[in-house]
Amino acid sequence: MVQQQLPTGFRDDIGAVAERKDDVSQYVLGLCRSRQYTKISTPLVEYKDVFNGYAMGRGQHMYEFMDSSDESVVIRPDLTMPIGRFLATTNIELPRTFYYLGDVFMKNKKHRGDVNQVTQGGIEMVGYEGIEAEQECFAIIKEVNETQLGNNLLLEIGDARFSRAITDALGLSDEERTELLDALFTKYLPRYNELISDFKNSALYPFLTVWPRLFGTVRDIKDELNQIILPAAAQRILDNLVDMANQVAQTGQQVRIDVSTEPLQSYYTGLTFRGYVDGVSQYIVSGGRYDGLLSSFDGTPMPAVGMAFNIDVLTDVTLNGESNNQDNGKLRIALTKGRVEKDFIPLLESCGIDCEPLRNKARKLIIPLGDAIEVILAKGPDVTTYLKNGVVDLGIVGSDVLDEQDDTSYEMLDLQTGKCQFILASLAGYDPKEGRRQRIGTKYPTITKQYFGAQDVEIIKIEGSVELAPLVGLADAIVDITETGTTLRENNLEIFDWLQKISTRLVANPLALKQKRNTIFKLIDQLSEAINK
């Protein structure tokens, strides 16, 4: 029988949506054409090595297969690198400006609401060294903002060199730099705070404590850096960003600065920028300077700046207007039902928030707490799904869920509740290092696979009482969670190893953190104070 459904992550467009997407696409193409750019189209399929160094998102993969010559080819996940390949293999005279419209593809995890096909319309300005190229991008963004978005787009600028300037001043090795920046860029603040504790005697320590908050308006940045001294190289970069932000603001475009977030691609070498609309959980436009990209193809350095509009997001925003955006006046929190919920209520109350509606919720799943906060009750795995899709701003969920799902939300605060630990357990006489392939029962296949690493084990997913698996001979051992070990002992199971510790975490949607920066940080500071009492 013919498969009648679409693969996960794809959709058909019809009627008003399809027509609006066509209108938006033609508008972007016409805007570029009117500025005398040259149209370029590249194939959907490229050799895989064209994308060497291209950074896919967490949990994403390229669509890859073999061609007739047994060479590895992929469906393009990006449109800039194919243009670099084209320029490196032709004699096109530079400098030159190009524009394009096309689809890119990335394979995401199933059942998370992710989209695997995105239409992009963008420009590449190759051979342009001066700041005029970035200013041209800002002018185009401003025009799209005025004509399509009612001046609601916020332009966010950063610089790919800033983090290098800081880590160089700290004297970090490549491994130390990677670990610190990974914790910073993912806003994994419990780990970040552990790492910077090694620098308490450094002159840079005051800066390190506020670095995760260095995004927002020019005033926000200056307030965070009050009386903090930066390394000279980092200060020059920041001063240039402030000057650029002020210039952009004078044109009437709303602008923000961010020096705490990872550039979208590793090939960016200077100024970077992104644009978003409040209440929408995806960026509408992104780009930056990438002076070294073409040299990866032919060894010849060539200055370049490019950007791309996400045509699908732009279409949705212009089609639905404000009706598709959640109420920006409220902080919406997805709270894991049960024990996590029970432990979180006293923390909220210590922040001066009346939780009586939550204590007496009856069967309600959405509970307003005054005018400022709205709580959504959900199962743990669903909390991260709501966060990822932008329908909530914050989530309260166990770190076991985050570890198992390899979640991309920002892990902002360890609430120090719900403490327990992953363990490896079995009946007496079990040998974890026995040579044969073992069968391991668990609710957490991802964590189990990470624990055993290269050791070949067969993982059996169990949804109910995991302790039963070794008792009835289904598995040799289990990977599970324990708080006191009582259930294990009562079933004659022994602990053979302790894995990572678990506690409840406050996590944030990345764009919500920017859109509601001060409100979220105020709550985090209040919760931190309550935890540390």
Side-chain angles (χ1 to χ4, degrees):
M1 180 179 291
V2 175
Q3 176 60 264
Q4 298 181 7
Q5 295 182 338
L6 281 173
T8 298
F10 296 90
R11 72 178 188 184
D12 297 309
D13 289 329
I14 189 172
V17 174
E19 291 171 1
R20 183 56 185 155
K21 182 174 179 178
D22 186 56
D23 290 343
V24 169
S25 300
Q26 292 305 313
Y27 167 78
V28 172
L29 290 175
L31 182 60
C32 297
R33 195 177 296 120
S34 69
R35 301 173 94 90
Q36 306 303 309
Y37 287 27
T38 300
K39 178 72 183 294
I40 184 170
S41 298
T42 57
L44 277 175
V45 176
E46 298 270 0
Y47 285 116
K48 185 179 180 181
D49 60 6
V50 167
F51 300 98
N52 284 346
Y54 182 77
M56 302 293 289
R58 285 173 65 181
Q60 289 185 338
H61 302 279
M62 299 183 199
Y63 285 95
E64 182 178 355
F65 54 98
M66 307 299 289
D67 71 357
S68 57
S69 301
D70 290 332
E71 295 283 349
S72 183
V73 295
V74 297
I75 304 177
R76 65 186 182 207
D78 174 74
L79 281 159
T80 296
M81 299 187 85
I83 293 174
R85 183 266 309 154
F86 168 80
L87 293 175
T89 55
T90 60
N91 294 316
I92 295 291
E93 186 177 347
L94 300 175
R96 198 157 183 174
T97 55
F98 302 92
Y99 73 101
Y100 59 81
L101 180 77
D103 289 351
V104 295
F105 298 80
M106 64 293 295
K107 185 162 52 176
N108 290 285
K109 291 182 179 180
K110 290 184 177 181
H111 312 310
R112 297 297 304 275
D114 293 307
V115 175
N116 292 349
Q117 178 180 358
V118 174
T119 302
Q120 293 183 348
I123 62 172
E124 309 291 346
M125 291 176 282
V126 184
Y128 294 88
E129 190 171 1
I131 195 65
E132 293 79 12
E134 285 90 343
Q135 291 171 336
E136 167 73 356
C137 289
F138 297 158
I140 293 175
I141 290 172
K142 183 174 183 293
E143 185 164 343
V144 173
N145 188 18
E146 291 175 343
T147 59
Q148 304 293 312
L149 298 169
N151 267 331
N152 289 315
L153 181 136
L154 289 89
L155 178 65
E156 172 188 280
I157 62 174
D159 196 302
R161 298 166 294 186
F162 185 84
S163 60
R164 169 65 72 166
I166 296 296
T167 54
D168 282 351
L170 288 171
L172 300 183
S173 66
D174 288 344
E175 183 178 347
E176 290 169 333
R177 174 186 289 112
T178 298
E179 187 174 21
L180 179 66
L181 293 183
D182 183 61
L184 171 73
F185 291 152
T186 60
K187 297 295 186 290
Y188 183 13
L189 298 193
R191 179 58 179 155
Y192 176 82
N193 291 330
E194 286 179 12
L195 292 171
I196 67 170
S197 65
D198 293 338
F199 300 95
K200 284 187 176 179
N201 295 324
S202 167
L204 273 176
Y205 184 71
F207 166 80
L208 294 175
T209 62
V210 302
W211 196 1
R213 300 189 180 208
L214 287 186
F215 60 90
T217 65
V218 171
R219 173 51 55 194
D220 290 331
I221 302 297
K222 289 183 175 180
D223 287 346
E224 293 290 352
L225 291 177
N226 183 34
Q227 297 184 337
I228 291 178
I229 299 174
L230 293 178
Q235 188 64 59
R236 284 194 297 271
I237 293 169
L238 185 61
D239 289 344
N240 289 336
L241 285 173
V242 170
D243 289 343
M244 177 62 71
N246 289 332
Q247 292 175 30
V248 172
Q250 288 174 3
T251 70
Q253 170 64 58
Q254 298 182 77
V255 64
R256 302 288 187 267
I257 293 175
D258 186 355
V259 291
S260 70
T261 301
E262 184 177 22
L264 283 176
Q265 280 303 323
S266 58
Y267 54 65
Y268 286 128
T269 58
L271 192 71
T272 61
F273 49 89
R274 295 189 277 198
Y276 61 89
V277 172
D278 276 344
V280 177
S281 63
Q282 298 180 70
Y283 286 100
I284 291 176
V285 62
S286 63
R289 176 167 288 279
Y290 51 92
D291 290 346
L293 180 62
L294 295 188
S295 64
S296 65
F297 291 99
D298 64 3
T300 304
M302 181 63 65
V305 172
M307 70 173 183
F309 287 94
N310 186 320
I311 299 297
D312 298 292
V313 177
L314 187 55
T315 297
D316 289 343
V317 173
T318 57
L319 186 65
N320 297 308
E322 296 298 318
S323 63
N324 203 38
N325 301 346
Q326 69 181 67
D327 180 9
N328 286 306
K330 283 190 175 183
L331 193 62
R332 183 177 282 182
I333 303 174
L335 175 58
T336 304
K337 294 188 287 187
R339 176 180 170 180
V340 171
E341 170 194 352
K342 182 179 178 181
D343 290 341
F344 186 58
I345 289 175
L347 287 175
L348 273 182
E349 289 176 331
S350 68
C351 299
I353 298 169
D354 181 10
C355 291
E356 195 61 27
L358 189 55
R359 290 186 180 277
N360 299 291
K361 61 184 180 296
R363 294 183 177 273
K364 292 181 180 178
L365 296 177
I366 301 178
I367 302 99
L369 300 181
D371 297 329
I373 294 177
E374 187 173 69
V375 172
I376 294 177
L377 294 175
K379 291 185 177 181
D382 295 337
V383 168
T384 58
T385 300
Y386 292 141
L387 269 172
K388 185 176 180 63
N389 286 277
V391 297
V392 298
D393 305 310
L394 300 177
I396 309 299
V397 65
S399 60
D400 57 316
V401 175
L402 301 175
D403 292 342
E404 177 63 23
Q405 295 189 351
D406 191 23
D407 187 66
T408 57
S409 303
Y410 287 166
E411 194 169 325
M412 306 293 294
L413 185 64
D414 185 344
L415 297 177
Q416 302 292 323
T417 59
K419 291 184 177 182
C420 48
Q421 192 162 357
F422 281 108
I423 49 89
L424 174 69
S426 187
L427 294 166
Y430 167 68
D431 182 3
K433 297 182 179 180
E434 186 179 359
R436 66 180 177 84
R437 190 186 197 206
Q438 298 185 6
R439 293 158 61 90
I440 308 297
T442 186
K443 293 180 183 178
Y444 303 93
T446 299
I447 291 167
T448 301
K449 185 175 181 180
Q450 291 171 350
Y451 169 72
F452 281 98
Q455 182 178 343
D456 185 20
V457 297
E458 181 179 353
I459 297 173
I460 303 172
K461 179 74 180 293
I462 299 173
E463 297 293 348
S465 299
V466 179
E467 296 88 354
L468 274 173
L471 299 178
V472 299
L474 177 63
D476 298 298
I478 59 172
V479 170
D480 202 13
I481 291 173
T482 187
E483 182 179 6
T484 64
T486 301
T487 303
L488 295 172
R489 289 191 296 272
E490 289 179 350
N491 287 280
N492 299 315
L493 296 176
E494 298 180 7
I495 296 174
F496 286 83
D497 200 4
W498 297 88
L499 286 64
Q500 63 257 47
K501 294 181 179 179
I502 300 165
S503 60
T504 304
R505 307 296 170 91
L506 181 148
V507 291
N509 173 276
L511 259 178
L513 183 62
K514 295 181 177 182
Q515 295 164 356
K516 302 181 180 180
R517 176 191 188 279
N518 294 337
T519 301
I520 290 175
F521 277 130
K522 179 181 178 181
L523 178 61
I524 288 174
D525 290 341
Q526 290 174 329
L527 289 169
S528 296
E529 184 177 348
I531 292 166
N532 294 324
K533 279 184 179 178

